[in-house]
Amino acid sequence: MEIITRLRGIKDILPDEIEKWKKIEQTFIEISELFGFKEIRIPIIENKFIFVKGIGTNTDIVMKEMYEFKDKKGREIALRPEGTASVVRAFIENKMYMKQKITKLYYYGPMFRYDRPQKGRYRQFYQFGVEIFGGKSPYFDAELINLLNIAFDKLGIREIIFLLNSLGCENCKDNYIKKIKGHLESNINKFCNDCKVRIEKNPLRIFDCKNISCKKTVEKLPSIIDFLCNECKEHFEKFIKLIEKFGIEYKIDPKLVRGIDYYTRTVFEVNFKNDEIAIAGGGRYDNLVRDMSGPDIPAVGFAVGIDRIVPLICDDKMIKNDVVFLVLLGENARKKSFEIMKNLIENKIKFETDYEDRSLSEYLRVVNKTGIRWCMILGDNEIEKGVVILKDMQTGKQELIENNEIVNKIKERIKC
Ligand code: AMP
């Protein structure tokens, strides 16, 4: 019988890789919590119109990429393609704005887009995202850039650049579109078929197109930043000054529009320096809460694509420093191991073993493959003397430890 495989564009995350995932997730959670964000768990399935209304009818996500189905009662459901629209729905529905002026939320989980699968582009992918509701100051926009920069630095990801732009408010956007529409229409034949539709329905989208002829034609357009009203201009300039103050490497990219309709004013992306792949994106969406029938509350947020960060986490940082492998030489050691394990569990020390009957050198080869740094060796000699041997697989050093000192000594070593 043929084996049934996973769906196209969807992958398993295997135990070999999981430590990298956890490290990234924990880093973002820890830093966001230090910045005062609280977790929200939003559903994976929602009423499809949350996304149609939130993301925009004429966006690629809504037009081409949503996983949609009808449930048994004929309700129109979608698997969430992103988190913001759901968080906004939950913010409004649960009247979270009644509690405090500023609400800071983070979420983490799988998103689904029926995208063309390729390297770094999946149909189920994972995003960590944050949203700040209630603050219109550019300090909030800058806080998010600062948070991202701290998290990437902590993960050792430094070959990145922040791309920044402002789309202005509705008025600025309208003025700009009016200004460029003539140029776009007189050059309509230079655009791909998708862009021809975009020019009609959602002209800013043309800046996202990868087609060479479209890219060349939009190069000649004026910059949206030159069309900002005084307030939007002031907001953007203040934001940029703050980023400079943090010493973060950035580039203003007037062609950065992002693939989602709800953005106003600040938009940003974090790209790898060498291959221009985006690992995070976000911006301000001051009208979305109101447009989704909530109160008039400004907001700003970002989402990081975890799948694209995982390959960047170095393996050498993944040495398991906080796990002890129990090398059990002989039947007596295996029997004694349960006592030791109980002690380790009570003291929250992680361990692994496989109870195999093999020689010390064979055991050490096995431990080496696991990436575990510490191994505790126990044989008949050690049992007789009431000791164990603790070996550091990284340096090769080993020491004898009295049974009643096991926990203290391991805790000391794991810390270093
Ligand atoms: P967006 O929600 O489109 O603003 O995307 C935010 C981030 O999510 C991007 O910068 C990517 O890192 C990641 N991302 C978006 N789409 C995909 C995908 N199909 N596969 C993997 N990561 C993705």
Side-chain angles (χ1 to χ4, degrees):
M1 209 174 76
E2 218 177 292
I3 57 164
I4 303 172
T5 59
R6 58 183 187 256
L7 298 174
R8 197 166 124 76
I10 293 184
K11 62 181 184 319
D12 302 305
I13 303 168
L14 300 174
D16 277 354
E17 240 193 353
I18 207 73
E19 290 306 322
K20 292 188 184 187
W21 283 81
K22 282 192 191 163
K23 188 180 161 117
I24 300 167
E25 291 156 13
Q26 280 158 9
T27 302
F28 277 104
I29 290 174
E30 192 183 301
I31 292 169
S32 301
E33 288 187 349
L34 289 173
F35 271 94
F37 289 85
K38 298 253 161 45
E39 185 180 7
I40 181 165
R41 296 197 182 172
I42 40 173
I44 285 174
I45 58 172
E46 292 268 13
N47 181 324
K48 167 183 145 179
F49 295 100
I50 299 289
F51 304 112
V52 175
K53 209 163 172 194
I55 299 168
T57 330
N58 296 314
T59 55
D60 283 355
I61 296 182
V62 167
M63 285 200 302
K64 302 184 195 162
E65 297 170 4
M66 259 203 316
Y67 275 90
E68 306 171 30
F69 62 95
K70 286 195 174 149
D71 74 3
K72 293 193 192 308
K73 284 264 170 70
R75 297 179 195 97
E76 300 212 63
I77 311 281
L79 297 186
R80 60 182 188 195
E82 58 111 51
T84 302
S86 293
V87 176
V88 170
R89 197 259 319 128
F91 177 75
I92 299 169
E93 194 170 343
N94 297 291
K95 295 193 171 59
M96 294 174 80
Y97 47 85
M98 303 283 271
K99 277 204 176 143
Q100 66 250 322
K101 177 154 187 315
I102 304 291
T103 307
K104 297 173 93 172
L105 304 169
Y106 74 82
Y107 60 86
Y108 173 67
M111 306 294 159
F112 304 84
R113 292 184 198 171
Y114 196 77
D115 227 341
R116 206 159 56 86
Q118 48 189 288
K119 189 170 166 272
R121 195 168 285 285
Y122 305 100
R123 289 184 172 166
Q124 174 174 335
F125 58 97
Y126 290 76
Q127 284 187 339
F128 176 89
V130 309
E131 318 289 354
I132 304 177
F133 294 97
K136 59 177 189 305
S137 159
Y139 274 88
F140 287 108
D141 313 28
E143 181 182 301
L144 296 188
I145 303 288
N146 195 20
L147 191 164
L148 278 170
N149 193 48
I150 293 172
F152 285 130
D153 189 62
K154 196 156 182 230
L155 289 166
I157 300 170
R158 303 204 175 91
E159 287 303 297
I160 53 172
I161 181 141
F162 286 82
L163 302 180
L164 314 174
N165 192 20
S166 174
L167 301 177
C169 57
E170 288 303 324
N171 284 342
C172 308
K173 271 198 222 175
D174 284 350
N175 284 340
Y176 182 64
I177 290 170
K178 268 188 211 140
K179 178 78 190 171
I180 61 170
K181 204 115 191 232
H183 177 86
L184 299 178
E185 280 166 357
S186 53
N187 285 286
I188 195 91
N189 289 331
K190 295 184 183 148
F191 286 100
C192 68
N193 286 340
D194 276 353
C195 277
K196 283 180 183 139
V197 179
R198 287 177 185 134
I199 290 168
E200 185 56 37
K201 296 191 164 163
N202 199 351
L204 290 183
R205 292 264 63 74
I206 52 164
F207 290 108
D208 268 347
C209 190
K210 301 279 180 279
N211 180 297
I212 305 224
S213 170
C214 299
K215 271 187 149 183
K216 267 201 170 152
T217 316
V218 299
E219 257 171 30
K220 298 183 189 106
L221 293 174
S223 158
I224 193 163
I225 296 170
D226 296 333
F227 289 80
L228 299 182
C229 64
N230 285 342
E231 274 182 32
C232 290
K233 198 168 164 220
E234 200 184 310
H235 185 100
F236 190 54
E237 283 171 356
K238 239 180 172 171
F239 166 63
I240 297 289
K241 275 207 182 109
L242 289 166
I243 302 307
E244 278 174 357
K245 218 170 176 182
F246 295 142
I248 294 172
E249 200 175 338
Y250 76 90
K251 200 173 112 191
I252 294 178
D253 179 357
K255 306 273 182 296
L256 179 72
V257 289
R258 316 266 308 118
I260 296 169
D261 272 1
Y262 50 61
Y263 289 116
T264 48
R265 291 194 168 171
T266 314
V267 282
F268 57 85
E269 228 168 63
V270 187
N271 276 14
F272 293 136
K273 271 189 196 160
N274 43 5
D275 57 10
E276 295 186 3
I277 287 182
I279 47 177
R284 189 159 268 289
Y285 52 96
D286 286 343
N287 302 330
L288 184 60
V289 179
R290 186 199 64 200
D291 291 349
M292 287 178 72
S293 311
D296 195 0
I297 289 179
V300 59
F302 68 67
V304 190
I306 306 299
D307 307 66
R308 294 187 186 171
I309 303 179
V310 171
L312 297 179
I313 304 292
C314 292
D315 271 324
D316 61 8
K317 290 211 194 79
M318 285 298 128
I319 289 172
K320 293 186 221 157
N321 197 24
D322 60 342
V323 187
V324 180
F325 197 102
L326 307 184
V327 172
L328 306 170
L329 303 172
E331 194 54 23
N332 290 337
R334 285 191 282 277
K335 278 187 190 145
K336 170 99 179 153
S337 68
F338 283 92
E339 209 180 288
I340 294 176
M341 285 175 194
K342 188 165 173 261
N343 203 1
L344 296 177
I345 289 168
E346 275 165 8
N347 287 282
K348 298 198 166 51
I349 297 170
K350 290 183 214 159
F351 59 86
E352 285 181 25
T353 190
D354 61 8
Y355 309 105
E356 285 291 319
D357 198 9
R358 50 165 97 86
S359 71
L360 178 60
S361 54
E362 281 169 332
Y363 246 119
L364 293 180
R365 269 199 296 277
V366 171
V367 182
N368 250 331
K369 276 194 189 154
T370 63
I372 293 175
R373 178 166 175 189
W374 304 100
C375 75
M376 189 194 292
I377 303 166
L378 187 65
D380 288 341
N381 273 345
E382 288 74 29
I383 294 177
E384 206 175 294
K385 292 183 192 144
V387 294
V388 297
I389 298 170
L390 187 66
K391 185 177 174 79
D392 180 345
M393 299 296 287
Q394 232 175 9
T395 62
K397 272 195 203 156
Q398 51 184 55
E399 57 189 319
L400 273 186
I401 300 176
E402 305 271 335
N403 276 347
N404 57 0
E405 273 296 297
I406 291 179
V407 166
N408 285 346
K409 280 278 183 275
I410 291 179
K411 277 190 173 167
E412 249 172 52
R413 295 293 170 269
I414 284 177
K415 247 194 278 158
C416 66

